[in-house]
Amino acid sequence: MAPPSPSHVAPLLKDELDIVIPTIRNLDFLEMWRPFLQPYHLIIVQDGDPSKTIRVPEGFDYELYNRNDINKILGPKASCISFKDSACRCFGFLVSKKKYIFTIDDDCFVAKDPSGEEINALAQHIKNLLTPSTPHFFNTLYDPYREGADFVRGYPFSLREGVPTAISHGLWLNIPDYDAPTQLVKPLERNSSSTRYVDAVMTIPKGTLFPMCGMNLAFDRELIGPALYFGLMGDGQPIGRYDDMWAGWCAKVIADHLGLGVKTGLPYIWHSKASNPFVNLKKEYKGIYWQEEIIPFFQSAALPKESKTVQQCYRDLSLLVKEKLGPIDPYFQKLSDEMVTWIEAWEELNPAAK
Amino acid sequence: MAPPSPSHVAPLLKDELDIVIPTIRNLDFLEMWRPFLQPYHLIIVQDGDPSKTIRVPEGFDYELYNRNDINKILGPKASCISFKDSACRCFGFLVSKKKYIFTIDDDCFVAKDPSGEEINALAQHIKNLLTPSTPHFFNTLYDPYREGADFVRGYPFSLREGVPTAISHGLWLNIPDYDAPTQLVKPLERNSSSTRYVDAVMTIPKGTLFPMCGMNLAFDRELIGPALYFGLMGDGQPIGRYDDMWAGWCAKVIADHLGLGVKTGLPYIWHSKASNPFVNLKKEYKGIYWQEEIIPFFQSAALPKESKTVQQCYRDLSLLVKEKLGPIDPYFQKLSDEMVTWIEAWEELNPAAK
């Protein structure tokens, strides 16, 4: 037998995946990820003052966009991209030309599994994305496509092909992704690899919403990209820390409508620092209040049967947002308008997607 | 401080829980479980020839029912209890007077967690049942009521009280619960504690069905008992190995309707032996075929809003079974009739439940 050709040892999906990072304040970040991420192309979207310089260590292949670049590329449509908030990361999704995206925050480091081995988060995300999801029936032994696993007795055979996986949502060791009130109440709670490591991947069932965190997230841009808009947050907006939640609600409703799957669980990253709970409380409080109405809205949002593309579904959703959430606060009318702007920008930069 | 009173060290729910075992062919079974189960009352339901004797080791408090007992107690209503099949276990649910039931098969032994410690399955089931479920929104860090866990950012506060948990579905190390075709294809696949132990409990979301296995199962008899009918299997029936599936489909639809929760995951038991896949294939083949129609039926089964008790819901479901599944095979008409008989028997033996 011939020795394996270089393609066998090459990083998975090297030419089909971009890494999108909202900003890099921490020089150690890329050094730590170098063994796993250096083979890939990075898209860095600077979230604040464009005059500040982001230093990227030697050897990484990257493009960097600051606010001036965003304004230049999108013109008036730049209004849909948040400023001074990590929500700006979705600009990276827009300008990527790849099929897959892995997005990660700069306070997320390489985690170790309970055996002490470093976790290649990206490789696990790719496994999740390249195997089907099973949103129509629950498999009690978790992801049936993992090695050593399968469908259990009583799982209908007609559903075992599954559906294409659009999103892979990874989790966090060390600092869990808690809201400000929970951070305040439990400042010392940690998700340690010795006590809280859950060795599972699972499909979130059809019709069930989940809180999607943007810290450690991968998706198939061709299948679901236009739904991954991170909304209007940060500078000049009444709300923060709900950018990923907004994207998750929209994306899950659209994935369910289009017959696509969303997985959650592995891989873990090591989340190094909790953001300030007092600052977070200020950013979150409208979100905490509004989500009590937003979630029932998404739980009952029905998209027209005729809508067969993510873009069309997203436009439908923007109309529903204006109609049903607009009365809560003028913010949602503006958000609805910018959802449309986002889709226009997507179609402009991705003409084949139109 | 006074030393802890005896009640602090007594087994949890000792006077409120019965252990139901369909039959005991294996003398080691109770010996192995003695440290965990001896404090509880056992109800053993013998599934085959009543002239055979089941030997129960010294020191266990038990009652044993064979077919003659079932016929004597239920009279003509005994027709609803399967013969020569572990489905007969539901007779034990009927005659119990306790609030909680733990049912376990006699080929299930005490499992060890990855640290080598013996797992007290019953204690974990009790934890699952005594903490709420969260069927209305997915928590990505699994059961938020476990120690060291909580609701993640973006989880609506109004849903954090959860709903009462009706069912706790435990899993299996060693031999996974596979159907006959999968057993035939993967005869050597094992769920080992070193590679396939998933340290999680989770709520199965509202509107999602799951394959409920009866090997290692606990439930709140007051909340959901009458829905745990294991159907007509075994002697004289065209189908086997779908008794627990049937109970699971019915119970989940009713739990969803009544706002009750179903958890799955921990605890694991050690499933010692795979049943014969060729025998299983014969028992299962109609089930494998029929489930393709049964599952869409349950997925769309809508119970009347006015039905507020499990019994009423179960009667509603029996009518739907006759109407929608009856045309598939006369078996379902008979099953529908026996579902009603089962509820009548339940109300006769549990007059307060009427």
Side-chain angles (χ1 to χ4, degrees):
Chain A
M1 218 172 93
S5 75
S7 73
H8 283 102
V9 289
L12 282 163
L13 302 180
K14 183 182 164 336
D15 299 321
E16 294 176 74
L17 185 142
D18 279 340
I19 315 283
V20 174
I21 306 167
T23 211
I24 301 180
R25 293 153 296 191
N26 190 325
L27 286 175
D28 297 336
F29 169 72
L30 279 176
E31 284 306 338
M32 187 159 196
W33 283 102
R34 191 185 284 275
F36 304 107
L37 301 191
Q38 186 169 348
Y40 295 89
H41 180 69
L42 312 185
I43 299 177
I44 301 165
V45 188
Q46 191 170 348
D47 69 0
D49 182 356
S51 70
K52 287 201 179 150
T53 309
I54 289 184
R55 277 183 48 205
V56 178
E58 283 286 312
F60 282 95
D61 166 42
Y62 71 98
E63 53 196 301
L64 191 152
Y65 298 93
N66 65 25
R67 190 69 207 182
N68 297 334
D69 301 315
I70 294 171
N71 289 340
K72 202 154 60 190
I73 291 167
L74 291 184
K77 295 198 184 78
S79 58
C80 73
I81 303 296
S82 299
F83 183 43
K84 294 193 179 165
D85 193 281
S86 73
C88 68
R89 80 175 80 211
C90 63
F91 179 78
F93 311 159
L94 204 58
V95 296
S96 167
K97 298 284 168 253
K98 305 287 174 61
K99 180 167 166 56
Y100 299 99
I101 298 285
F102 172 41
T103 183
I104 181 168
D105 281 6
D106 73 343
D107 62 347
C108 293
F109 294 103
V110 177
K112 290 180 176 172
D113 68 20
S115 76
E117 199 155 331
E118 290 201 328
I119 297 166
N120 184 344
L122 180 50
Q124 179 68 46
H125 276 301
I126 290 171
K127 270 190 203 174
N128 295 349
L129 289 171
L130 295 185
T131 50
S133 291
T134 51
H136 299 292
F137 199 78
F138 192 91
N139 194 50
T140 52
L141 286 183
Y142 310 100
D143 188 344
Y145 302 104
R146 278 189 84 189
E147 209 181 321
D150 213 314
F151 292 96
V152 299
R153 178 171 60 90
Y155 203 102
F157 281 82
S158 61
L159 295 178
R160 294 191 186 195
E161 295 290 327
V163 305
T165 301
I167 294 176
S168 168
H169 177 260
L171 300 176
W172 339 276
L173 291 176
N174 195 37
I175 310 280
D177 186 31
Y178 286 162
D179 48 62
T182 308
Q183 280 183 295
L184 288 165
V185 172
K186 292 179 158 182
L188 299 178
E189 191 153 288
R190 296 292 177 270
N191 225 23
S192 99
S193 78
S194 58
T195 60
R196 302 280 319 140
Y197 184 93
V198 174
D199 185 15
V201 176
M202 77 192 56
T203 296
I204 300 175
K206 183 174 177 179
T208 300
L209 293 177
F210 77 116
M212 188 181 83
C213 170
M215 266 197 274
N216 170 25
L217 184 72
F219 58 92
D220 184 323
R221 197 175 157 277
E222 283 177 12
L223 286 180
I224 199 74
L228 270 288
Y229 174 49
F230 272 50
L232 289 177
M233 306 278 147
D235 204 41
Q237 307 302 337
I239 175 174
R241 282 171 58 83
Y242 272 84
D243 52 342
D244 43 6
M245 298 298 142
W246 183 259
W249 298 326
C250 294
K252 185 60 165 59
V253 165
I254 292 174
D256 284 349
H257 177 79
L258 295 176
L260 303 170
V262 175
K263 289 185 181 182
T264 184
L266 302 183
Y268 285 96
I269 51 77
W270 198 84
H271 184 208
S272 68
K273 68 171 204 304
S275 38
N276 184 314
F278 299 97
V279 173
N280 289 347
L281 191 60
K282 192 177 170 191
K283 288 182 181 173
E284 280 174 15
Y285 84 103
K286 289 227 166 181
I288 287 174
Y289 181 64
W290 286 338
Q291 74 186 352
E292 300 293 341
E293 294 191 58
I294 297 174
I295 284 165
F297 160 75
F298 279 108
Q299 282 175 333
S300 64
L303 302 175
K305 267 190 189 160
E306 317 76 78
S307 297
K308 305 279 192 199
T309 65
V310 181
Q311 289 94 306
Q312 188 51 51
C313 290
Y314 205 75
R315 288 181 201 273
D316 298 335
L317 208 47
S318 75
L319 291 176
L320 288 173
V321 165
K322 183 164 276 183
E323 181 196 333
K324 308 271 188 181
L325 299 180
I328 298 175
D329 194 281
Y331 169 74
F332 291 101
Q333 295 168 22
K334 198 169 150 195
L335 178 56
S336 163
D337 292 339
E338 297 298 355
M339 289 170 74
V340 176
T341 307
W342 159 263
I343 289 295
E344 288 170 357
W346 189 280
E347 290 175 343
E348 191 180 310
L349 271 71
N350 299 272
K354 203 161 183 174
Chain B
M1 217 171 95
S5 76
S7 72
H8 283 101
V9 289
L12 282 163
L13 302 180
K14 183 182 164 335
D15 300 320
E16 294 176 76
L17 185 142
D18 279 339
I19 317 283
V20 173
I21 306 167
T23 211
I24 300 179
R25 293 153 297 192
N26 189 326
L27 286 176
D28 297 337
F29 168 73
L30 279 176
E31 285 305 339
M32 187 159 196
W33 283 102
R34 190 185 286 274
F36 304 108
L37 301 192
Q38 185 169 352
Y40 295 89
H41 180 68
L42 312 184
I43 299 176
I44 302 165
V45 187
Q46 193 170 348
D47 69 0
D49 182 355
S51 70
K52 286 199 180 153
T53 309
I54 289 183
R55 277 182 47 202
V56 177
E58 283 284 312
F60 281 94
D61 167 42
Y62 71 98
E63 52 197 302
L64 191 153
Y65 299 93
N66 65 25
R67 190 69 208 182
N68 297 335
D69 302 316
I70 294 171
N71 289 340
K72 205 155 58 188
I73 290 167
L74 292 183
K77 296 198 183 79
S79 59
C80 72
I81 304 296
S82 299
F83 184 41
K84 294 192 179 166
D85 193 282
S86 73
C88 68
R89 80 176 80 212
C90 63
F91 179 76
F93 311 159
L94 205 57
V95 296
S96 168
K97 297 284 167 253
K98 305 286 174 62
K99 180 166 166 58
Y100 300 99
I101 298 284
F102 172 41
T103 182
I104 181 169
D105 280 6
D106 73 342
D107 61 348
C108 293
F109 294 104
V110 177
K112 289 180 177 171
D113 69 20
S115 76
E117 199 154 330
E118 290 200 328
I119 297 166
N120 183 345
L122 180 51
Q124 180 68 47
H125 276 302
I126 289 171
K127 269 189 202 173
N128 296 348
L129 289 171
L130 294 186
T131 51
S133 292
T134 52
H136 298 292
F137 200 76
F138 193 91
N139 193 49
T140 52
L141 286 183
Y142 310 100
D143 188 344
Y145 303 103
R146 277 188 85 189
E147 209 182 320
D150 213 314
F151 292 97
V152 299
R153 179 172 59 92
Y155 204 102
F157 281 82
S158 61
L159 295 177
R160 295 190 185 196
E161 295 290 327
V163 305
T165 301
I167 295 176
S168 168
H169 178 260
L171 300 176
W172 340 275
L173 292 175
N174 194 38
I175 310 281
D177 186 31
Y178 286 163
D179 49 62
T182 308
Q183 280 182 296
L184 287 164
V185 171
K186 293 179 158 182
L188 299 179
E189 192 153 289
R190 295 291 177 272
N191 225 25
S192 98
S193 78
S194 58
T195 61
R196 302 280 317 139
Y197 185 93
V198 174
D199 185 15
V201 176
M202 78 192 56
T203 296
I204 300 174
K206 183 174 177 180
T208 301
L209 293 177
F210 76 116
M212 188 181 81
C213 170
M215 267 198 274
N216 171 24
L217 183 72
F219 59 91
D220 184 323
R221 198 174 157 276
E222 282 177 13
L223 286 180
I224 200 73
L228 270 289
Y229 173 49
F230 272 50
L232 289 177
M233 305 279 147
D235 204 42
Q237 306 303 337
I239 177 174
R241 282 170 58 83
Y242 271 84
D243 52 341
D244 42 7
M245 298 298 143
W246 183 261
W249 297 326
C250 294
K252 184 61 165 61
V253 165
I254 291 173
D256 284 348
H257 177 79
L258 295 176
L260 303 170
V262 175
K263 289 185 180 181
T264 184
L266 301 184
Y268 286 96
I269 51 77
W270 198 84
H271 184 209
S272 67
K273 65 170 206 303
S275 39
N276 184 313
F278 299 98
V279 173
N280 289 347
L281 191 59
K282 191 176 170 192
K283 288 182 182 171
E284 281 174 14
Y285 85 102
K286 290 227 164 178
I288 287 174
Y289 181 63
W290 287 339
Q291 75 187 352
E292 299 294 342
E293 295 191 58
I294 297 173
I295 284 165
F297 160 74
F298 279 108
Q299 282 174 332
S300 63
L303 302 175
K305 265 190 190 160
E306 316 77 79
S307 297
K308 305 276 191 201
T309 66
V310 181
Q311 289 94 307
Q312 187 51 51
C313 290
Y314 205 75
R315 287 180 201 272
D316 299 335
L317 208 47
S318 75
L319 291 176
L320 288 173
V321 165
K322 183 163 274 181
E323 181 195 334
K324 308 271 188 179
L325 299 179
I328 298 175
D329 193 281
Y331 169 74
F332 291 100
Q333 295 167 22
K334 199 169 148 195
L335 178 56
S336 163
D337 292 339
E338 297 298 356
M339 288 169 76
V340 176
T341 308
W342 160 263
I343 289 294
E344 289 170 356
W346 190 280
E347 290 174 344
E348 191 181 310
L349 271 72
N350 298 273
K354 202 159 185 176

